Amino acid sequence: MAGGAIVPSDGPATDYGGSLTLSVFMSCLVAASGGLIFGYDIGISGGVSQMEPFLKRFFPHVLERMAAAKGNEYCLYDSQTLTAFTSSLYVAGLLASLVASRVTRAMGRQAVMLMGGALFFAGGAMTGAAVNIAMLIVGRMLLGFGVGFTNQAAPLFLAEMAPSRWRGSLTAGYQFFLALGVLTANLVNYATSRASWGWRVSLGLAGAPAVIIFVGALFLTDTPSSLVMRGRPEKARAALLRVRGPDADVDAELRDIAKAVEAARQSEDGAFRRMATRRGYRPHLVLAVAVPAFFQLTGVIVLAFFAPLVFRTVGFGSNAALMGAVINGAVNLVALLLSTLVIDRYGRKVLFMVGGIQMVIAQVGIAWIMGAKIGKSGEAAMAHPYAVAVMVFTCLHTAGFGWSWGPLGWVIPSEIFPVDIRSAGQAMNVSIGLCLTFVQTQSFLAMLCSFKYATFAYYAAWVAVMTVFIALFLPETKGVPLESMGTIWVKHWYWKRFVNDGKTGVALT
């Protein structure tokens, strides 16, 4: 057996034709709505964490610290128990993602999305009804299992179902719905913050996006690749006819899918081991680690979680801080819409470069203003115009993320892996992302207390590093069919040393 990835390709990338049918659009719309689950949680936890009725019931020591000593603005919310409320979800999500690869291969993408929606609904119900911290944390862990499964299955579904010409835009829909979930959660927080029971509404409404993905997934067919992999070629052909339209060369695409799946079956077990040890998978391994790691190190995740707390730190009141989070979420949504319009026209790398430069400028601006106006001690009060400037730079950073790493952090991992390691590669992407999300959400408030304004300079440095990395090591994947993706590696100045001439698609060992 050849030792490495087999990517059937007899020459240049193939365009199978076909149109953007209503069927494929609706299927991708439902799958992308899985991002609502993740986005709603990202938006809801930071706002709830600064609601006084919620803090009074579960974290009274935080309120006591705020009342007793406001000497250091950076450290007002530094509580490991409080951050555990947010980060516990990602421990559970990490555990779920470790088994999701095998479950997705065995049961298909649709079934895993159904499981994720059901688990998230149960978690939302439990957190909304919580009467103690234990119940709160268990509910958050159920939410995490739901996130782990949907993050694994939905991007794969989108990449495999979408025509290559529109794959970037349709796969980016996952991040669009994620941003919509964040904005919805911020609006809910703002609307309920004045009520003593408002936090229950905010947490309990997590069940709403779970219902959307669960009910929508009931009406989906699985992807052609998944159906062929599970021995259902006739259903796969029917699915292709439905989603590609009458003008597509369905038989040619199905033959390429079948070849890729047959190659996967020849070495079905040990996908993680092969990716980690065989030379031909080196590009996939590096990007499977680098993309989710850099996605997290943009700093936007912790800003999305803790934006209300950051805005409180620089001097906004509670309601103003929540409204600032709403504005930040709206900016992210608009940026994602713009990205969706251009991602398949200008390609992936241009968006990465523009967004990276913009994020570096924004993070340096935040660090400079906070350092100059709050100082190292955190005892100085920031004048309102400077607080507004911090919010503007935060929105600038979010916009840069919204049309670069936001959608592309999901698009790139979903399209670069050959079919025999696609589930494993996506599982690695999700696992690393959730692991780093846990580390960052658990440590961010302590980091802000210790590093102070330098926290934002730290993230700016990482964005600079990742922008250079992308410029050097990411090949352009715009318009390349998944079954022909092997051609991009043999043309790349660095990765070509790890693969052969690309005609047989068998990687060197």
Side-chain angles (χ1 to χ4, degrees):
M1 183 187 304
I6 302 176
V7 187
S9 177
D10 297 322
T14 303
D15 185 354
Y16 303 107
S19 57
L20 185 61
T21 63
L22 179 63
S23 179
V24 76
F25 180 77
M26 294 305 298
S27 296
C28 290
L29 185 67
V30 170
S33 68
L36 283 171
I37 288 177
F38 197 10
Y40 188 87
D41 174 76
I42 290 174
I44 213 70
S45 39
V48 167
S49 295
Q50 62 97 56
M51 291 184 184
E52 291 193 7
F54 176 79
L55 293 173
K56 184 177 181 180
R57 184 176 187 92
F58 296 105
F59 307 100
H61 61 283
V62 174
L63 285 177
E64 292 169 4
R65 180 186 301 153
M66 292 172 67
K70 293 192 176 183
N72 191 335
E73 297 291 337
Y74 294 112
C75 300
L76 289 180
Y77 294 94
D78 181 20
S79 166
Q80 289 300 298
T81 309
L82 178 60
T83 50
F85 159 69
T86 297
S87 63
S88 57
L89 182 150
Y90 300 100
V91 176
L94 173 61
L95 295 175
S97 67
L98 293 176
V99 300
S101 171
R102 187 173 294 274
V103 175
T104 303
R105 285 174 64 89
M107 299 179 62
R109 285 48 164 152
Q110 177 202 25
V112 174
M113 286 190 287
L114 287 169
M115 292 170 58
L119 287 165
F120 202 83
F121 181 84
M126 181 168 286
T127 53
V131 296
N132 52 49
I133 290 181
M135 191 173 177
L136 195 68
I137 298 299
V138 170
R140 293 284 295 174
M141 293 184 74
L142 285 173
L143 292 171
F145 290 133
V147 166
F149 280 116
T150 53
N151 278 9
Q152 162 72 10
L156 286 182
F157 184 98
L158 289 163
E160 292 178 348
M161 192 66 83
S164 59
R165 284 180 290 173
W166 293 283
R167 189 177 61 242
S169 296
L170 291 174
T171 307
Y174 188 82
Q175 180 68 21
F176 171 80
F177 275 99
L178 191 154
L180 182 61
V182 172
L183 179 59
T184 301
N186 288 331
L187 288 169
V188 170
N189 280 337
Y190 184 76
T192 62
S193 61
R194 295 172 180 81
S196 60
W197 40 264
W199 62 271
R200 290 194 183 276
V201 175
S202 293
L203 294 177
L205 281 178
V211 170
I212 292 173
I213 182 64
F214 183 86
V215 173
L218 289 173
F219 297 95
L220 296 180
T221 183
D222 217 334
T223 68
S225 293
S226 180
L227 289 168
V228 170
M229 189 175 293
R230 291 183 288 129
R232 301 175 183 177
E234 292 304 317
K235 287 190 175 182
R237 190 176 189 280
L240 273 177
L241 281 171
R242 184 163 53 254
V243 300
R244 294 291 184 260
D247 298 328
D249 191 351
V250 169
D251 291 327
E253 184 171 0
L254 187 62
R255 282 196 301 270
D256 281 349
I257 290 173
K259 289 178 184 177
V261 169
E262 182 60 30
R265 285 176 179 156
Q266 292 177 12
S267 52
E268 190 166 3
D269 296 324
F272 286 106
R273 176 180 55 79
R274 293 197 309 278
M275 187 161 54
T277 60
R278 294 184 181 177
R279 180 179 174 85
Y281 289 112
R282 193 66 51 80
H284 310 91
L285 175 64
V286 170
L287 289 171
V289 174
V291 171
F294 287 153
F295 183 93
Q296 297 297 322
L297 290 169
T298 59
V300 79
I301 294 295
V302 288
L303 279 177
F305 280 123
F306 299 117
L309 305 188
V310 171
F311 294 151
R312 287 289 297 271
T313 298
V314 299
F316 286 103
S318 177
N319 290 331
L322 289 173
M323 180 50 68
V326 170
I327 295 170
N328 193 48
V331 167
N332 188 29
L333 196 62
V334 172
L336 280 163
L337 281 172
L338 293 175
S339 175
T340 301
L341 295 175
V342 301
I343 191 172
D344 285 317
R345 175 176 297 181
Y346 299 110
R348 284 52 163 157
K349 295 188 73 167
V350 170
L351 296 182
F352 271 128
M353 298 300 101
V354 174
I357 294 170
Q358 184 173 329
M359 284 189 286
V360 169
I361 293 171
Q363 292 278 26
V364 170
I366 294 171
W368 180 79
I369 293 173
M370 293 185 76
K373 299 303 174 182
I374 298 181
K376 293 183 179 180
S377 66
E379 296 179 357
M382 184 180 289
H384 184 69
Y386 292 102
V388 172
V390 168
M391 189 179 77
V392 170
F393 274 118
T394 301
C395 290
L396 182 67
H397 177 269
T398 299
F401 177 84
W403 53 56
S404 62
W405 280 92
L408 294 172
W410 298 103
V411 171
I412 295 299
S414 69
E415 64 186 10
I416 63 171
F417 299 109
V419 69
D420 63 318
I421 60 166
R422 191 170 296 155
S423 290
Q426 181 66 11
M428 182 178 290
N429 173 58
V430 173
S431 299
I432 292 172
L434 290 173
C435 179
L436 288 176
T437 302
F438 164 72
V439 171
Q440 290 199 99
T441 52
Q442 188 63 35
S443 63
F444 176 71
L445 294 179
M447 185 177 174
L448 183 62
C449 183
S450 299
F451 290 4
K452 302 176 175 59
Y453 62 88
T455 301
F456 301 97
Y458 165 84
Y459 285 116
W462 273 115
V463 175
V465 169
M466 66 183 70
T467 302
V468 173
F469 176 90
I470 290 296
L472 293 176
F473 296 110
L474 180 71
E476 182 58 66
T477 58
K478 180 188 72 170
V480 182
L482 294 183
E483 292 73 35
S484 302
M485 198 62 71
T487 60
I488 67 172
W489 307 110
V490 298
K491 297 175 183 177
H492 190 270
W493 71 273
Y494 182 75
W495 299 124
K496 64 183 180 182
R497 70 188 65 186
F498 297 98
V499 296
N500 73 342
D501 61 5
K503 293 181 180 179
T504 63
V506 182
L508 295 173
T509 54

